[in-house]
Amino acid sequence: MVGELVDFNSVIGWITTVVCRCVYLFLWIPFNIQLHFRRQGISGPPLRLPFGNAREIVRFMKEAQAKPLPAFHHDFVGRVLPHYTHWTSSYGKCCLFWFGTQPMLAIPKPELIREVLLNPKGDFEKPEFNPLSRRLIGDGLFGLRGKKRLRHKRIILPAFHKTRWVKEAGEGPKEVDAFQEFHVLAADINSRTAFGSNYEEGKRIFSLQEEQTTLVLQALRSVYIPGFRFIPTQKNRERWRIEREIRSLLRVLIAGKKEELKEKSMNLLGLMLSANDKEKEEQRMSTEEIVDECKTFYFVGNETTANFLTWTVLLLALHKEWQSKARDEVLSVFGRHGHIDAESLGQLKIVEMVLKESLRLYPPAVFLLREVCKDTKLGDLTLPAGVEVYLPILAVHHDANLWGPDVSEFNPGRFYNGSSDPTAFFPFGMGSRVCIGQNLAMTEGRVVISMILQQFYLDVAPTYVHAPMPMMTLQPQYGAQVFHFRRLGIAGPPLRLPFGNAREIVRFMKEAQGKPLPAFHHDFVGRVLPHYIHWTSLYGKCCLFWFGTQPRLAIPKPELIREVLLNPKGDFERPEFNPLSRRLIGDGLVGLRGKKWLRHKRIILPAFHGMVSAMVASTEVMLERWVKETGEGPKEVDAFQEFHVLAADIISRTAFGSNYEEGKRIFSLQEEQTTLVLQALRSVYIPSFRTEKGGELSLLRVLIAGKKEELKEKSMNLLGLMLSAIDKEREEQRMSTEEIVDECKTFYFAGKETTANFLTWTVLLLALHKEWQSKARDEVLSVFGRHGHIDAESLGQLKIVEMVLKESLRLYPPAVFLRREVCKDTKLGDLTLPAGVEVFLPILAVHHDADLWGPDVSEFNPTRFSNGSSNPAAFFPFGMGSRVCIGQNLAMTEGRVVISMILQQFFLDVAPTYVHAPMPMMTLQPQYGAQVLHFRRQGISGPPLRLPFGNAREIVRFMKEAQAKPLPAFHHDFVGRVLPHYIHWTSLYGKCCLFWFGTQPRLAIPKPELIREVLLNPKGDFERPEFNPLSRQLIGDGLVGLRGKKWLRHKRIILPAFHARGGGRVHELGRSSSAIVECTGWSGRNLSRSSRSVVFFVKLFFWPALRSVYVPGSRFLPTQKNRERWRTESEIKSLLRVLIAGKQEELEEKSTNLLGLMLSANNEEREEKTMSMEEIVDECKTFYFAGKEATAAFLTWTVLLLASHKEWQSKARDEVLSVLGRHGHPVAESLDQLKIVSLRFCSSTQYPLGCHIVLQFLIVPKNVAVMKQVEMVLKESLRLYPPAVHLHRQACKDMKLGDLTLPAGVQVYLPILAVHHNAEFWGPDVSEFNPARFSDGSSNPAAFFPFAMGPRVCIGKNLVMTEGRVVISMILQQFSLDVSPTYVHAPMQLMALQPQYGAQVILHRMS
């Protein structure tokens, strides 16, 4: 019994000891460490036992790695170290976190990092490895500590002398495929240099280590449980198996190399083997220790170098300018085929800079850990023993405070004179534990990069996805796909029989045409010639590709193009057409060669002169139709279709003495034939595949026969000249009927297509670029007048029109390329071309080459042709030389005539439905048509009226798109987000434009002088429009919505409540403001029931209803939303009646506040002074809503601005404290002394402060008006973020406004926000916060009207301004403000201008 009791007591004692030990280790020590650091001002995420913050780290990493970066940029610290980035943003750069019960102190300051790593006393040691990681890297130098590490280092160090390594590394592979290739390369170099082996001998070891890496990484992501590695789980058994096999293979390798390497012991394995037999302990290394070191260097040497090389090659592939500089340096030192030698590597300064910048941006290790061995002083910190110091290499390397604002850019120049801050650059660590292979890695980098650049060019592959990820080292998550290619002369994509590169071309075209361009811009070569752009980026501008077995050599150099096209010897001929294309254009002049082409050209050429009268006649038909369809309003037409009909009519008249109607069926058949031919031309032609001739030939024969006798006598048009040649006796002057038919096919197609597309693009460009449309119109009117006749003699005076046409042809040439066939072996520049090669001349690419046209190459700038072409050899839209387009002059004349006649009568705009998608068919065409608005305009236009909703649905669409994503940064240029419809329409139709809300016309007036005329109109010609009936359920029939006599009566009764008559009640406002100070987070817990109802009502029911057109009577239908509106309105009115009844006796006697004045008016007998109880309820609804919304939004933006502009916050606080002291209470007299207060007001829209203040019915002190500097700041806040973003006024009768005549009923739309952000009125810093602009009042008083102006100016204007002064003063007395990292800047128009996602501000209590 006693024995059992003793045993029981022993168990109890043992359990007590264990529990006490656990409490001590897991609770007491962590608590003391946290307390220790908290006293030093360091905090961090809370400790969550038993895993610490390990699970949070894993969650952060998973979220970060779930999606790649949107683009290849170098600002990725938040992806690789998301937990560190998050915690340092919350707790400061030095923060404490936990991995299990192990505290880790983040130290990002270079001076402290240097102190840790260079500590000579051994106070900071490398932490013990997780036992599972030893399965991967063994007990090698990398993880050793103390004397054993020192002994191993002495033995191993001589192996890393760089001279010997260069010789062996230079024998490595010469072709690189980034991540995988460099792992093989690094493994091979590591095997050669360290073990006297090669990759093949160690291949199985590397493979096993990759498997082991995966297993170890899984384990390292969680906290290690002591003894867990001995449990026979599936993964542990797999780890044991791999470790046994690796050690076995290493022993075999070591045994095989033992005798051989002992004699030449300067490599790693040799040095270790020679130490195996040493007698002295400090020089000896056992066989198991050698195995461990081999494991370490097989892994670490391979991973570090492979990833370092991978990122360097990716960076060079991305940054071609540095690739070029590095290559030039390598070639200047070693030549194209020179051998890499150790002595010359020191001359590679640029390569050295590139390598260091690569290590800065993408260091192999993203952090280091050091364990504090004893209580130690570090800077101002005291560190207890056992704490691990976390040194975030990546974060320090990407710290803008250390490296400058371009920290995330690849700029090797920063290492020109070493590092700008050596302590901030430590990719291999520093001090006694600096990576032993540092010099080896750098030398390997120089050698490998030099050898690659000697022979290869690099490009990032389109399949590469940028996603840096920390494994054991920093790696690309999805691989590093890089194009590498040898280029000594001309190269290109490989020939793939039997189609050559034809299928690739089709694939590129389909992908490019699968989606339109995101905007109407002119940088579209990659959409039209995607294969050419892709291949030239890989193989150089002169590259060779294949269409079937036909080689095509791209020649983009103007001097060579000129040599080809102007060749007088006939060495370059037009290639034979695909037989299927003859179905479309016949055997006409375009496709003929040799003597037959010359004969046809001589016969036809005289037909291409004059013809202006026929062009005018055809254009008049089109314009008469436009006038008839349009009237005075805008009309949307597809210019592409319109100009095809016009060009067809002109070619019919000028060439065939016919018209469009006679040839209509021929044109229709040719369009069908075009589709079929294009399908065939996209693939390689198979001989004999074509079918019989099409049916349009019979129609041409009938047409020719019908015109034969008529045209023979007047033979100056095309058909007449050809018919007159039928009967010629001399062969060189004769043309057969079949040849005439073929020429007719050619000109019916080519003449129409070329001109139609030329005119289409020109009109689109003029519609987009209004300034050039205006200049061209002015010129046309000065030459021909508004109704003058177009004549050939005067066309030569149209210089601006000529420039516009040429710039249109430069940007959108009809043909995007030309081809010429080499007829015999020929020399072209430095190239030797064999006969049969086709030369591909990319007209479009040359026309868009910035090297030839300047940096504005993709802009529409006709002035570049003011003195002809700046580079004539680079401008050839119609070809050049003997085979220049025969209709060139005809096309240009047609362009002058048609454009002139259009501009005489019409204004042009790009339609909202137009989608910019240039596409090469037979000519360059708009893929989805060319929708243009044309209208006859004496003044103002706008988007078309779309019944029954007008433009309301467009407004909603614009608003949804704008609000779908926040602004990328906290800046003040946000008008396009809040008024997107206004910005879009004014860009199309001018600043004064007309749009429709239902059938209600609204005229936008952004000119301050006209706005002033509207708002200050003394005759009442502009009245506030009637409210949408649904809005009355929100704000009632109160002062805001009333009109006429009733509005005037209510204003007279209410106005005294808002007069400044002393400061007796400023303390009430102060008492309201103190709620902010005492309430955590400004949460709004005291919001009254009626106020909450209003907020809920407006957000859920009222605002969505106002976005659509009101249908009369719809508010009476018992829909779900209407019933909810009725219920809410009924409850609000009921609560207000109860409130009014409760205050009636009290307030009737002291009637100076709002409710008191209205209640005293309830008993008045005279009608002009009385106010009914229902009217009082309506006014209360109005001021409950309007008073709160306007003030709350104003205060919110003001506080946000103060939080983001610290200099103004500091000035404001200093002044408040100088006037009121730290605890003084604001009174009206002291407010008068505040000269600087940067009053930006801080009540969130969720907090009821605005509402509560209105209920106090404050009387504003008179002397507030003298606060000049306060006014400056307040006004600047109101300028940037006015509570109301626009106003409406309705014209009550036909009247004159400036130069405009307004009919009764039109609503004038006054865009407050757009006027407040207009650089014309406020200067180039319009989007910056600059209160100084109000130092002498407003620089433009008419352009500043946040509370409106005139008789309907906001009645609570003075109240709002005083409220701001009081609230901000009290906040700044006790708090400093910062914008929270969670704040997302997204201004949004609800009823007032509000932050869409809230306004998160961090409060710091002032001590």
Side-chain angles (χ1 to χ4, degrees), residues 192 249 347 378 407 551 558 696 878 1131 1157 1197 1207 1383:
R192 291 173 185 266
L249 290 168
Q347 301 176 43
L378 178 64
V407 67
E696 73 275 12
F878 297 105
E1131 185 176 356
L1157 287 170
W1197 292 118
E1207 69 283 6
Y1383 173 66

Side-chain angles (χ1 to χ4, degrees), residues 103-334:
M104 291 186 173
L105 177 65
I107 300 286
K109 299 179 180 178
E111 63 278 8
L112 298 185
I113 291 171
R114 187 176 181 87
E115 194 173 331
V116 169
L117 296 179
L118 299 182
N119 183 279
K121 301 174 184 177
D123 296 335
F124 298 93
E125 190 55 270
K126 184 148 191 162
E128 287 286 345
F129 274 180
N130 181 323
L132 290 171
S133 66
R134 299 191 184 280
R135 305 280 187 215
L136 179 62
I137 59 175
D139 273 325
L141 188 68
F142 191 62
L144 293 178
R145 299 169 60 162
K147 291 181 178 179
K148 189 174 180 180
R149 174 184 166 272
L150 192 59
R151 173 165 56 86
H152 281 225
K153 183 177 178 182
R154 284 174 183 157
I155 294 168
I156 290 168
L157 189 59
F160 292 91
H161 192 274
K162 66 181 182 181
T163 306
R164 169 169 176 71
W165 180 83
V166 170
K167 182 179 176 182
E168 295 173 341
E171 299 166 8
K174 298 174 183 176
E175 292 190 1
V176 178
D177 189 12
F179 187 61
Q180 295 301 328
E181 288 291 335
F182 282 133
H183 270 71
V184 175
L185 172 64
D188 192 57
I189 292 174
N190 205 25
S191 299
R192 291 173 185 266
T193 57
F195 306 107
S197 174
N198 58 46
Y199 174 70
E200 291 302 322
E201 289 186 28
K203 191 173 183 179
R204 179 59 182 159
I205 297 172
F206 289 119
S207 175
L208 288 168
Q209 280 203 307
E210 286 179 10
E211 295 178 40
Q212 190 73 286
T213 300
T214 304
L215 294 169
V216 169
L217 276 172
Q218 290 172 358
L220 289 181
R221 285 175 179 164
S222 58
V223 177
Y224 175 69
I225 300 170
F228 178 77
R229 69 185 187 275
F230 302 112
I231 299 173
T233 63
Q234 182 181 354
K235 287 183 179 177
N236 273 346
R237 288 197 301 272
E238 186 65 15
R239 291 185 186 104
W240 301 339
R241 181 193 64 77
I242 293 171
E243 184 183 17
R244 282 195 303 270
E245 188 174 351
I246 289 174
R247 296 186 84 87
S248 173
L249 290 168
L250 284 170
R251 289 189 188 99
V252 171
L253 175 68
I254 291 165
K257 297 285 180 180
K258 196 165 188 177
E259 295 304 319
E260 173 192 345
L261 293 175
K262 270 190 180 181
E263 297 173 9
K264 49 170 187 175
S265 58
M266 285 308 294
N267 70 19
L268 176 65
L269 185 56
L271 287 169
M272 291 191 295
L273 286 171
S274 64
N276 188 231
D277 302 326
K278 297 284 185 181
E279 294 181 2
K280 297 173 71 173
E281 187 179 351
E282 65 271 16
Q283 296 178 348
R284 191 167 60 247
M285 189 177 278
S286 69
T287 302
E288 285 307 302
E289 288 176 327
I290 294 173
V291 169
D292 280 320
E293 289 296 353
C294 288
K295 283 182 68 176
T296 295
F297 285 97
Y298 258 103
F299 176 77
V300 177
N302 182 26
E303 283 297 307
T304 304
T305 313
N307 289 297
F308 167 34
L309 291 172
T310 297
W311 292 118
T312 304
V313 161
L314 273 171
L315 288 166
L316 286 173
L318 178 66
H319 299 279
K320 300 292 195 315
E321 69 283 8
W322 283 101
Q323 183 184 157
S324 178
K325 290 177 183 178
R327 179 180 292 104
D328 291 344
E329 181 181 64
V330 169
L331 296 180
S332 69
V333 174
F334 299 110

Side-chain angles (χ1 to χ4, degrees), residues 300-591:
V300 177
N302 182 26
E303 283 297 307
T304 304
T305 313
N307 289 297
F308 167 34
L309 291 172
T310 297
W311 292 118
T312 304
V313 161
L314 273 171
L315 288 166
L316 286 173
L318 178 66
H319 299 279
K320 300 292 195 315
E321 69 283 8
W322 283 101
Q323 183 184 157
S324 178
K325 290 177 183 178
R327 179 180 292 104
D328 291 344
E329 181 181 64
V330 169
L331 296 180
S332 69
V333 174
F334 299 110
R336 176 73 67 183
H337 305 289
H339 186 70
I340 307 295
D341 61 274
E343 290 71 25
S344 302
L345 283 176
Q347 301 176 43
L348 300 177
K349 302 302 181 186
I350 292 175
V351 172
E352 179 88 3
M353 287 155 54
V354 166
L355 293 173
K356 285 184 176 178
E357 180 70 346
S358 172
L359 286 167
R360 184 188 70 82
L361 288 170
Y362 298 86
V366 296
F367 63 87
L368 293 174
L369 294 176
R370 291 294 182 267
E371 185 178 351
V372 181
C373 299
K374 60 181 181 180
D375 293 351
T376 304
K377 190 80 173 174
L378 178 64
D380 296 328
L381 302 175
T382 303
L383 307 185
V387 169
E388 285 186 5
V389 177
Y390 178 91
L391 310 177
I393 300 174
L394 186 69
V396 175
H397 282 194
H398 284 250
D399 190 335
N401 294 325
L402 304 173
W403 297 94
D406 65 342
V407 67
S408 295
E409 296 176 16
F410 178 71
N411 176 20
R414 71 178 84 243
F415 288 97
Y416 182 75
N417 294 313
S419 172
S420 55
D421 190 342
T423 60
F425 180 65
F426 55 111
F428 297 105
M430 64 175 77
S432 59
R433 292 207 68 124
V434 68
C435 174
I436 197 171
Q438 177 179 206
N439 291 334
L440 174 66
M442 289 301 289
T443 305
E444 186 173 338
R446 293 186 195 97
V447 171
V448 174
I449 295 301
S450 297
M451 293 183 71
I452 290 170
L453 294 178
Q454 271 185 311
Q455 301 184 53
F456 294 92
Y457 289 75
L458 305 167
D459 258 316
V460 180
T463 55
Y464 173 68
V465 177
H466 192 49
M469 175 183 71
M471 295 284 280
M472 298 299 285
T473 53
L474 185 61
Q475 299 180 8
Q477 186 172 354
Y478 305 106
Q481 297 76 16
V482 173
F483 286 125
H484 62 82
F485 47 90
R486 302 187 70 167
R487 186 170 73 189
L488 297 177
I490 291 175
L495 168 62
R496 294 181 173 90
L497 293 172
F499 301 104
N501 306 117
R503 289 186 170 178
E504 292 171 83
I505 293 172
V506 171
R507 176 173 59 81
F508 278 122
M509 295 296 285
K510 282 184 178 178
E511 290 174 0
Q513 293 168 18
K515 51 187 178 182
L517 295 172
F520 192 166
H521 61 80
H522 313 308
D523 184 12
F524 61 89
V525 184
R527 189 181 200 274
V528 175
L529 296 174
H531 54 292
Y532 170 80
I533 294 298
H534 179 73
W535 289 331
T536 53
S537 70
L538 291 179
Y539 307 111
K541 289 192 174 180
C542 287
C543 65
L544 183 73
F545 61 99
W546 301 79
F547 198 81
T549 56
Q550 175 63 57
R552 289 182 177 172
L553 177 64
I555 300 287
K557 298 179 180 178
E559 62 278 10
L560 299 185
I561 291 171
R562 189 175 180 87
E563 195 173 331
V564 170
L565 296 178
L566 299 181
N567 184 279
K569 302 174 183 177
D571 297 334
F572 298 93
E573 190 54 271
R574 181 159 197 144
E576 287 284 347
F577 272 2
N578 181 325
L580 290 170
S581 66
R582 298 189 184 281
R583 298 278 175 260
L584 180 61
I585 58 175
D587 274 327
L589 192 68
V590 174

Side-chain angles (χ1 to χ4, degrees), residues 170 388 433 551 787 835 861 925 1330:
E388 285 186 5
R433 292 207 68 124
H787 306 290
N861 178 17
Q925 300 179 6
N1330 178 18

Side-chain angles (χ1 to χ4, degrees), residues 1156-1366:
L1157 287 170
M1158 292 192 293
L1159 286 171
S1160 64
N1162 185 235
N1163 301 320
E1164 289 284 345
E1165 295 180 2
R1166 294 172 61 184
E1167 185 178 353
E1168 66 272 16
K1169 292 186 176 182
T1170 190
M1171 187 178 280
S1172 70
M1173 189 57 67
E1174 283 307 304
E1175 289 176 330
I1176 294 173
V1177 169
D1178 279 322
E1179 289 296 354
C1180 286
K1181 283 180 69 176
T1182 294
F1183 284 96
Y1184 254 103
F1185 177 76
K1188 179 184 75 69
E1189 286 296 308
T1191 311
F1194 174 34
L1195 293 172
T1196 298
W1197 292 118
T1198 305
V1199 156
L1200 277 170
L1201 285 165
L1202 264 187
S1204 63
H1205 296 276
K1206 296 295 189 349
E1207 69 283 6
W1208 283 103
Q1209 183 184 157
S1210 178
K1211 291 177 184 178
R1213 180 177 295 103
D1214 291 344
E1215 184 174 64
V1216 168
L1217 296 179
S1218 69
V1219 175
L1220 303 176
R1222 176 69 66 188
H1223 305 290
H1225 193 71
V1227 294
E1229 292 74 15
S1230 61
L1231 287 179
D1232 188 35
Q1233 300 176 43
L1234 299 179
K1235 303 298 182 185
I1236 299 178
V1237 175
S1238 187
L1239 293 178
R1240 306 209 143 37
F1241 302 18
C1242 130
S1243 172
S1244 164
T1245 54
Q1246 296 178 339
Y1247 186 71
L1249 182 61
C1251 175
H1252 186 53
I1253 290 170
V1254 170
L1255 288 177
Q1256 298 298 322
F1257 306 113
L1258 180 72
I1259 297 177
V1260 183
K1262 291 180 180 179
N1263 57 8
V1264 166
V1266 301
M1267 295 169 53
K1268 302 301 182 185
Q1269 295 189 55
V1270 174
E1271 285 297 303
M1272 283 166 43
V1273 181
L1274 289 173
K1275 286 178 179 178
E1276 179 68 349
S1277 177
L1278 287 166
R1279 183 187 70 83
L1280 288 171
Y1281 296 88
V1285 298
H1286 58 77
L1287 294 173
H1288 292 142
R1289 291 295 182 264
Q1290 187 168 347
C1292 300
K1293 60 181 181 180
D1294 293 351
M1295 61 169 306
K1296 194 81 171 171
L1297 178 64
D1299 296 330
L1300 304 173
T1301 302
L1302 306 184
V1306 167
Q1307 283 186 9
V1308 177
Y1309 176 89
L1310 310 177
I1312 301 175
L1313 186 68
V1315 175
H1316 281 195
H1317 285 251
N1318 192 328
E1320 293 179 15
F1321 308 139
W1322 299 96
D1325 65 341
V1326 67
S1327 296
E1328 297 176 15
F1329 176 67
N1330 178 18
R1333 71 180 84 246
F1334 288 98
S1335 57
D1336 297 315
S1338 171
S1339 56
N1340 192 336
F1344 181 66
F1345 53 111
F1347 297 106
M1349 62 177 77
R1352 291 205 70 123
V1353 67
C1354 175
I1355 198 171
K1357 175 183 179 181
N1358 291 333
L1359 173 67
V1360 171
M1361 298 294 280
T1362 304
E1363 184 173 339
R1365 296 184 184 94
V1366 173

Side-chain angles (χ1 to χ4, degrees), residues 655-792:
F656 306 110
S658 175
N659 58 48
Y660 174 70
E661 290 302 322
E662 289 187 29
K664 191 173 183 179
R665 179 60 182 157
I666 298 171
F667 291 119
S668 175
L669 288 169
Q670 279 201 312
E671 286 177 8
E672 295 177 35
Q673 188 73 281
T674 300
T675 304
L676 295 170
V677 168
L678 276 171
Q679 291 172 356
L681 290 181
R682 285 175 179 164
S683 58
V684 178
Y685 174 69
I686 301 172
S688 303
F689 183 74
R690 62 187 183 275
T691 57
E692 291 301 314
K693 291 190 175 183
E696 73 275 12
L697 295 182
S698 59
L699 290 171
L700 283 170
R701 291 189 184 98
V702 171
L703 176 68
I704 291 166
K707 297 286 182 180
K708 195 167 186 178
E709 294 305 318
E710 173 190 348
L711 293 175
K712 269 191 178 181
E713 297 174 7
K714 50 173 184 175
S715 58
M716 285 310 292
N717 69 21
L718 177 64
L719 184 56
L721 287 170
M722 292 190 295
L723 286 171
S724 65
I726 286 180
D727 303 324
K728 296 287 184 179
E729 294 181 2
R730 296 173 62 180
E731 186 179 353
E732 65 272 17
Q733 297 178 346
R734 191 165 61 245
M735 189 177 279
S736 68
T737 301
E738 285 306 304
E739 288 175 329
I740 293 174
V741 169
D742 279 323
E743 290 295 353
C744 287
K745 283 183 71 175
T746 294
F747 285 97
Y748 259 106
F749 176 77
K752 175 178 74 74
E753 285 296 309
T754 302
T755 314
N757 289 298
F758 167 34
L759 291 172
T760 297
W761 293 117
T762 305
V763 161
L764 273 171
L765 287 166
L766 286 173
L768 178 66
H769 299 279
K770 301 291 196 316
E771 68 284 8
W772 283 101
Q773 182 184 158
S774 178
K775 290 177 183 178
R777 179 179 295 105
D778 292 344
E779 182 182 63
V780 169
L781 297 180
S782 69
V783 174
F784 299 110
R786 175 73 65 186
H787 306 290
H789 187 72
I790 306 295
D791 61 275

